[in-house]
Structure formats: structure tokens, C-alpha cells
Amino acid sequence: MADDRTDSAWGTFLELGGSAEGPMHVRLTRALRAAVTGGRIASGSALPPSRTLAAELGCSRWVVTEAYAQLVAEGYLEARSGSATRVRAQAAPAPATSGTDAVTRWEPEFDMLPGVPDLRAFPRRRWADAVREATGALTWGELGYPDAAGHARLRQRLAAYLVRGRGASLDARRLVVCAGTLDAVLRLCRALRADGHTHMAVEDPGWSRLGSAVGAAGLVPVPVPVDGDGLRVDLLRRASQVRSVIVAPAHQFPTGVVLAPTRRADLVAWAREVDGLVLEDDYDAEFRYDRHPVGALQGMAPEHVVLMGSVSKTLSPALRIGWAVAPPRWADALGAGACLRPSSTRRRSPGSWPAGPTTVICGRHGCATNGDATTSWTNSRRRCPGFRCPARRPVSICCCL
């Protein structure tokens, strides 16, 4: 039987083979040589002391010293008095690099890439303090398997913020934490398809990834034009096969228009008439420099509107923290959707781990929320003349809002 050993202190797997393949020191030499030439042990890596490795392998120290000496003679290792035995430089192959990696990446002076906020405003120190504080305060129960809908305290804080700051109508039980707006759209589209929906309206022009997500979930995206007052609800009514729509009433992308009050009322009336569902993308609602913010459409018809948002603009898109507030009919399906994603993208829900997001969004460390602080900082910058022209305004779109 092959003698496969793994040294717990060193962490490199050594396949020594069976006794029929030769003496122990010869097999160890061969295994170490293969580990070096195969790149599993990098150049300059220190090998464990002979006594330590011998104890791990259950052999005499002589076996290890003989193997080390042979590899030193062959040029794979180097031994110095008073220092650890190490892999000689150039003995191990260099990691493969692509052509693009070999060339120094060019960094532009001004990054106009859509979807990325000014990340210099990210509160690094406060975020690190929050993670440390929240981790230290975790109970044993919070270290177990998380709630698919997100950590309870985070949901409560987000719900309070949405009621206070966005005029939403909800309680925390209807709020589901997800990886962003696109994640919420995918979950809802799957639930709608299971309920018999076949088509979903999307704004035209609009964020192209929303239409792609709708199609990926098995629904047919139906473009509906947008004008200076927002979505053309009159044209939406003509699409008789449509009973759901994705709309950004607070700040439409890419036109930047706000859904007019009459259109908001018409959209709510349409949803009630067809017993439909409006997916409200609360995109960029926190940032206003030319008008007062408008309340969430969800507050007008909580039984027919799903409110979706994230911290991608107020903190960072790398955090992958978003939320969706759904009517009771769809809330359970929205939470269950976390377990229905393909295995290639399955991961822990970002809101299920309370360390960091809960504490920061809960408003500790000196401000109501770090998101509020970032919003204030960014809005103050947008008051300068350079941000007055809509054409010069940084557009904020990310892969999973």
C-alpha cells in the first residue's frame, strides 16, 4: 500500500510510495525533488528541521538528513550553518504569467469607468474597527449556519434606514439581504417564472445587464421606452403579456430622469389592475445634487412593489451587500432564492455574516452610518461646478448593484 504522508507543520503533501519502491531515504528524496520541480515548494521556501520532519514521517532523523544532503548535492536545496535548509533560487519553476500580467498595468489619471464610486471615501479604519468589534461580540449561535434571508440585526437596521431615509413601508421580516440588485432580480425572476410569468418589461434605454438577467432566468425582456418623464406607462399597458416591470424611478440610467408624479401614480395603478409586480431599482437614490430626493415608490404600493438597493455607491461594490423588500407573497421565495443559485456562484450570503456589515451599518464609530458619511462627502463634491453638467457626472453602475 502506498505510504502517503502529509506534514501538518509544513503543509506540503509528500507521496513516498511503499517499501517495495526502495529505502525510505531514497523515497523521501524522490518525493521532495518532485515537490520542488513541480512548483509545490517555491524557491526560497524553508524546509522543516530534520527532527520535525522525521517525527512527522515516523522515521529516523538520518533518513531526513540523507535526503536533504542528496538534494543539496543536486542543487535543489541550499544549507547554511545556523539557518534553515531552503529551496535554492531558480530550483523551482517560476509561476506562469500571462502576457498581460508581465506588462505593468496602466492606471489612468482619471477613471471614468461607469459603476465605480470614489473609493477614496471608503471608511477603512472605521470598517476595520467595526469588524473587530462585531467579531468580538458574536455569540456562539451566530457562528452557526446563517439565516438565508440575512442576519437579523442587519435586516432590522436596514429596515429602519429604508423607512427613515427612503419613505418605505416595511418591517424587517420582509427584507432579504442579498449580493446586490442583480442578485435580487435573478431571484425574483425565477420566482415569477415559477408562478407563471413569461415576460418582464425593462426600461429602454437601460442597464443592459438587467435584460440579460431577465433572459437568463427564463423570462422574455420587453423593452419599454423612457422619455423626459421616465417610463412610458401608456406603452407598458399595451404589452398585454407583461405583468412585471423593472424600473428606476429615483434616477433612471442612463438618462438620469426621475419618474414624474403622474407616471408614478399610473405605474402603481397598472400594477394593481394586472395584479403585477414592480421591481424598483433604487439606483443612486442617495445622491442628489440638482433636486431634492424623491421617496421610494414602494411606499405608495407595498403590496405590488419590490424595493431593491445596495451599498455599492455609499460604501463599496466589493462588499456585495444589497437588499430587497418584497410583498409577503414574494418574500419567502426571495429568501429561498439564495439556495437556488448555480453551484458555480453559490456562496455565503453577504448579510448572513454579522461581523462588519452589521456594526458599520448599525451606526457605530462616530456617524449615523458610514454610508451616510460617504453620501454626504460625495454630495458635497458634486456641488462643485465640475459636477453640475450631467454629461460630466460620474455614472454609477456596477455588475451587481
Side-chain angles (χ1 to χ4, degrees):
M1 180 180 295
D3 186 10
D4 296 342
R5 308 289 181 89
T6 301
D7 169 50
S8 58
W10 190 19
T12 299
F13 177 78
L14 297 176
E15 185 174 350
L16 300 179
S19 58
E21 299 182 31
M24 181 66 170
H25 71 282
V26 173
R27 289 184 281 139
L28 178 58
T29 302
R30 184 167 55 240
L32 289 170
R33 186 188 298 114
V36 172
T37 58
R40 289 185 288 127
I41 308 177
S43 296
S45 297
L47 274 64
S50 56
R51 294 183 186 275
T52 302
L53 185 55
E56 290 290 335
L57 297 177
C59 63
S60 67
R61 184 187 177 197
W62 177 87
V63 169
V64 179
T65 57
E66 281 295 303
Y68 282 5
Q70 178 63 32
L71 293 175
V72 169
E74 295 177 8
Y76 291 103
L77 305 180
E78 57 183 0
R80 298 178 182 176
S81 178
S83 180
T85 302
R86 296 180 178 274
V87 177
R88 187 183 299 274
Q90 286 81 46
T97 57
S98 63
T100 55
D101 293 336
V103 180
T104 302
R105 184 182 294 273
W106 176 74
E107 295 290 344
E109 182 178 359
F110 299 101
D111 187 358
M112 305 299 291
L113 181 69
V116 180
D118 192 341
L119 299 177
R120 294 173 298 176
F122 185 80
R124 295 172 181 262
R125 180 172 299 177
R126 274 187 277 182
W127 186 267
D129 290 343
V131 171
R132 184 165 46 251
E133 178 182 335
T135 303
L138 287 177
T139 65
W140 294 116
E142 290 174 317
L143 293 172
Y145 289 103
D147 187 338
H151 191 267
R153 278 185 287 152
L154 177 57
R155 294 163 65 192
Q156 291 168 0
R157 294 293 183 172
L158 286 173
Y161 159 71
L162 293 173
V163 171
R164 181 188 74 248
R166 299 295 301 124
S169 175
L170 73 145
D171 59 61
R173 293 171 297 178
R174 292 171 49 198
L175 187 148
V176 175
V177 180
C178 52
T181 299
L182 193 62
D183 181 31
V185 169
L186 286 168
R187 299 190 197 185
L188 287 165
C189 285
R190 294 191 187 103
L192 287 167
R193 184 170 181 267
D195 193 59
H197 287 240
T198 58
H199 295 70
M200 174 175 285
V202 296
E203 293 176 318
D204 182 25
W207 185 28
S208 60
R209 291 198 179 185
L210 286 177
S212 300
V214 171
L219 300 179
V220 178
V222 178
V224 177
V226 173
D227 61 16
D229 288 329
L231 184 77
R232 290 282 304 275
V233 182
D234 58 324
L235 299 180
L236 176 64
R237 291 179 180 275
R238 299 180 186 178
S240 58
Q241 73 277 35
V242 171
R243 291 191 294 130
S244 56
V245 59
I246 305 176
V247 61
H251 185 198
Q252 202 273 338
F253 174 83
T255 65
V257 301
V258 176
L259 192 63
T262 55
R263 297 276 178 90
R264 290 165 66 94
D266 289 345
L267 185 58
V268 169
W270 168 85
R272 288 170 175 159
E273 291 169 7
V274 301
D275 191 23
L277 190 66
V278 176
L279 279 63
E280 179 180 7
D281 179 3
D282 208 26
Y283 161 66
D284 225 6
E286 298 90 349
F287 298 111
R288 307 275 10 125
Y289 63 96
D290 54 352
R291 62 178 67 90
H292 292 294
V294 295
L297 184 68
Q298 188 267 353
M300 298 176 60
E303 71 281 6
H304 287 286
V305 180
V306 177
L307 177 62
M308 306 177 298
S310 75
V311 299
S312 294
K313 305 304 176 293
T314 53
L315 287 172
S316 165
L319 299 177
R320 311 309 322 126
I321 300 176
W323 54 85
V325 181
R329 175 182 175 185
W330 302 103
D332 292 340
L334 183 63
C339 303
L340 298 177
R341 287 178 288 181
S343 58
S344 60
T345 60
R346 187 175 298 149
R347 57 190 180 274
R348 179 187 295 273
S349 174
S352 63
W353 178 249
T358 301
T359 306
V360 174
I361 298 176
C362 280
R364 303 179 190 178
H365 304 290
C367 64
T369 66
N370 282 331
D372 288 343
T374 308
T375 301
S376 300
W377 186 86
T378 305
N379 279 336
S380 67
R381 295 186 64 228
R382 290 187 177 182
R383 295 190 190 101
C384 71
F387 283 87
R388 287 295 180 185
C389 174
R392 298 179 62 183
R393 181 188 179 282
V395 179
S396 299
I397 286 289
C398 69
C399 63
C400 244
L401 279 175

